[in-house]
Amino acid sequence: MSRLEALHRYQILDTPPEAEFDHITRFAQLFLNVPVVFINLVDLNRIWAKSTQGTPVQELDRAHTCCSQAVTSSEVYTVADLEGHPDLKQEGLMRHGKVRSYAGAPLITRDGHRIGALAVYDTRQRVFTAAEQQFLRELAAIVIDSLELRLMVRRWQAAQHRSAYLAHHDPLTGLPNRLRLLDRAQLAFHQSQRSGDSVGFMILDLDGFKTVNDSLGHSVGDELLKEAGRRLCACIRRDDTVARFGGDEFVILLPKLAEPFDAAGVAQKLLSCLKQPFQIGERTIELSASVGIAIYPANSLNPEEQDPELQASDLLQAADTAMYAAKAAGKAQYQFYSRAMTLGAQRRLDLRARLTQAIRDGQLTLHYQPQVDLQSGRVVGLEALARWPQADGSWISPLEFVPIAEESHLIHELGTWVLRTACEQLVQWEQLGLASWDLTVNISVKQWQDPNFLTHVQRILRETGFSPGRLVLDVNESIMLASPQDALVLSQALSALGIRVALDDFGTGYSSLSQMQDLCIQQLKLDRSFVRRLGETARSQAVGEAIVTLGQRLGITVVGEGIETIKQREQLTQLACPLGQGYIFGHPVPPNVFLLKYAN
């Protein structure tokens, strides 16, 4: 080991002065009665002061300094008169104060390397006695002892850190091991119990890995496992965990799954990620994988079990069973522990891909449902509803495809298409001299929370020529009340344009009257669950009457939803509810049918 390597192992160059070394230099200053003391470290071309007394200097050029001589000496290096020494007339400290004499004890490491000096300067000519030189040697030894102690502590800490790391990580791939995964699973279970979200466990096995390992050698197999681990980590969310317990199996923990089927999308992404050829050295290797999925709490063998390790073990066993089912089914695919979940997930993924194509190819249509004045029975508006017809004459329910659109962010494309198409349709009818109906369009949470939502609405109105005063945006009340301040700002901006905002499903449990009085809304849609029970009991009648009265007092139009019987219509009319909507007035129908039925 060279002198410089010995110096750098202490990792103290370019670090601030420290109290421990300051104590030593102050002690030397007092004991030897000298004005300047410093502990210096001699690097390749410079000298770095670790502690100084009596001088502001912290760094000097190494050339022409006493410490450069001291660091090469075995004994204390002394100069009684610096001015009389031809090689030291350029001594760095002489430019910062009048110094005449010098004594420096080399800092000698335990393995014999001289890394610096403990140096003292006096302003007068001085011959340092043998006792004074011995004193400097002993202080220099204390400096080295301090550095060695620091080095020992740092190495011990590194060893402890390494030991802790290995206790929780796979030594080959650096991924979390079983112990680490169980720790994170315990946290995921607690979060699930509070939030109601699911937790996914996946076991992913590399198909054909044993053949690669046996034919190409363990070194190639090890590199393949490391690269597979890196790819898997790049494909997951920040809160997910990829672990390796050994062999060619990886375990993926998926906390915070809003829907169990969301795990299928992750599995499909992982399979696609591993499908790309691996380049190991000069070899190109192609692999596939099989994935088994288990869901907490749905697949827990004992949901009441309190021990998270036992819970996790049960789920890992279930995922392992599902993984072997995936291999038996032909490999390169995933299976849920429950076959019904596998089929359901595959259908959802298939629908997502088909819905993407349907939106972009214009395969969806709009149906319209009338909104009527309950007193006169006159149609005053309509609600635009997306429908998805199939080639065989069947229809996919919006209850199925709208949630899929929301999960995959297709809702932005779908919502924009609905609003634009409906506006164009009503403008076309108006140009034909037909009635100028109000238009209600449903808005999803993702649309409402989009920072560009207002701009999108304005652009569509401008490009279609539809009047803002005839547009009603129907928003679920939970969306509006989750962030009241944001809702207030956006609803005020829409209102300023003349656009009305309606709270859908009003009264189903999210509303806060203290927030309601602050929101800028123009319609309340009385939920069908209240409409259905009108007149059944005095309580249900009182609740319906209270909501209608609330709307009247706040200057907000109330719309009764889901009206299916004459009795329900009469009840709402008696309560002075102005508007209604439901099958008694008409089902959602295509545009041409709507015109035939309602255009007078």
Side-chain angles (χ1 to χ4, degrees), residues 179-190:
L179 183 60
R180 184 71 166 174
L181 183 84
L182 292 177
D183 287 343
R184 295 185 178 180
Q186 181 176 1
L187 176 61
F189 293 155
H190 289 321

Side-chain angles (χ1 to χ4, degrees), residues 554-581:
L554 294 177
I556 298 173
T557 303
V558 178
V559 182
E561 289 189 296
I563 305 172
E564 298 181 357
T565 67
I566 294 175
K567 180 181 178 181
Q568 290 170 354
R569 175 181 178 177
E570 290 174 346
Q571 293 282 353
L572 286 169
T573 302
Q574 290 173 10
L575 294 176
C577 179
L579 301 179
Q581 184 176 340

Side-chain angles (χ1 to χ4, degrees), residues 165-170 174-189 199-204 236 239-246 249-255 308-317 319:
Y165 178 85
L166 291 176
H168 292 85
H169 292 80
D170 170 51
L175 295 173
N177 61 10
R178 182 184 183 89
L179 183 60
R180 184 71 166 174
L181 183 84
L182 292 177
D183 287 343
R184 295 185 178 180
Q186 181 176 1
L187 176 61
F189 293 155
V199 179
F201 277 81
M202 291 183 181
I203 290 186
L204 183 149
I236 60 173
D239 291 337
D240 299 338
T241 300
V242 176
R244 177 174 178 260
F245 293 176
E249 283 188 352
F250 296 87
V251 180
I252 298 94
L253 174 68
L254 305 173
E309 185 169 353
L310 291 178
Q311 281 277 24
S313 295
D314 288 345
L315 290 160
L316 288 170
Q317 183 178 351

Side-chain angles (χ1 to χ4, degrees), residues 221-532:
D222 287 349
E223 291 303 315
L224 187 59
L225 288 172
K226 288 190 279 189
E227 178 58 27
R230 284 191 286 268
R231 288 194 188 182
L232 294 176
C233 289
C235 289
I236 60 173
R237 303 171 302 176
R238 184 179 60 182
D239 291 337
D240 299 338
T241 300
V242 176
R244 177 174 178 260
F245 293 176
D248 61 332
E249 283 188 352
F250 296 87
V251 180
I252 298 94
L253 174 68
L254 305 173
K256 302 178 184 178
L257 289 176
E259 294 288 341
F261 292 120
D262 292 344
V266 179
Q268 192 174 62
K269 186 177 181 181
L270 296 178
L271 291 175
S272 298
C273 183
L274 295 177
K275 190 176 181 181
Q276 302 301 316
F278 290 83
Q279 193 67 40
I280 308 299
E282 297 181 355
R283 301 180 183 275
T284 300
I285 301 171
E286 294 187 2
L287 283 179
S288 61
S290 300
V291 179
I293 307 171
I295 301 295
Y296 173 88
N299 299 139
S300 295
L301 302 180
N302 183 6
E304 303 304 318
E305 175 60 60
Q306 297 298 311
D307 187 339
E309 185 169 353
L310 291 178
Q311 281 277 24
S313 295
D314 288 345
L315 290 160
L316 288 170
Q317 183 178 351
D320 196 53
T321 300
M323 184 269 292
Y324 279 106
K327 280 188 176 293
K331 301 181 180 180
Q333 58 182 285
Y334 66 86
Q335 292 281 339
F336 280 87
Y337 181 63
S338 162
R339 176 165 174 75
M341 290 185 70
T342 299
L343 295 175
Q346 290 172 344
R347 173 171 171 76
R348 287 166 71 94
L349 290 173
D350 176 62
L351 280 178
R352 181 183 298 178
R354 291 173 53 201
L355 179 60
T356 302
Q357 198 64 38
I359 293 173
R360 292 168 187 174
D361 291 350
Q363 298 173 14
L364 274 67
T365 64
L366 283 185
H367 284 192
Y368 299 95
Q369 186 175 28
Q371 194 176 82
V372 304
D373 182 307
L374 290 178
Q375 293 292 335
S376 66
R378 181 174 60 90
V379 175
V380 296
L382 51 84
E383 182 173 354
L385 301 163
R387 294 294 184 262
W388 188 4
Q390 302 299 295
D392 61 2
S394 63
W395 300 78
I396 295 179
S397 169
L399 295 177
E400 188 171 12
F401 73 79
V402 171
I404 290 175
E406 290 180 336
E407 293 168 9
S408 60
H409 302 287
L410 286 171
I411 196 64
H412 296 289
E413 289 185 56
L414 177 60
T416 298
W417 174 81
V418 169
L419 180 58
R420 180 180 293 278
T421 303
C423 287
E424 289 174 346
Q425 181 70 80
L426 266 70
V427 168
Q428 181 184 1
W429 286 346
E430 189 175 5
Q431 290 171 347
L432 294 174
L434 303 176
S436 297
W437 291 303
D438 288 342
L439 169 65
T440 297
V441 175
N442 292 292
I443 302 300
S444 77
V445 59
K446 289 185 178 178
Q447 289 176 275
W448 183 262
Q449 294 175 345
D450 182 352
N452 298 314
F453 175 66
L454 181 63
T455 303
H456 291 326
V457 173
Q458 289 177 293
R459 183 173 64 248
I460 289 173
L461 292 175
R462 183 175 62 253
E463 292 173 355
T464 62
F466 188 70
S467 171
R470 292 167 51 205
L471 178 61
V472 180
L473 300 180
D474 197 344
V475 182
N476 188 283
E477 64 172 354
S478 61
I479 299 171
M480 290 284 286
L481 299 174
S483 180
Q485 186 58 40
D486 292 340
L488 175 61
V489 172
L490 180 53
S491 60
Q492 286 177 335
L494 292 167
S495 180
L497 296 173
I499 299 169
R500 284 166 284 171
V501 177
L503 281 190
D504 199 6
D505 303 327
F506 181 74
T508 54
Y510 296 99
S511 302
S512 165
L513 293 180
S514 63
Q515 293 171 326
M516 276 290 303
Q517 63 186 341
D518 296 325
L519 290 174
C520 187
I521 57 176
Q522 290 74 38
Q523 280 192 9
L524 291 181
K525 302 191 82 171
L526 181 60
D527 186 69
R528 66 185 66 243
S529 63
F530 292 105
V531 172
R532 190 183 306 118

Side-chain angles (χ1 to χ4, degrees), residues 73-84:
S73 174
S74 298
E75 299 297 329
V76 175
Y77 178 74
T78 63
V79 181
D81 186 0
L82 290 170
E83 291 185 356

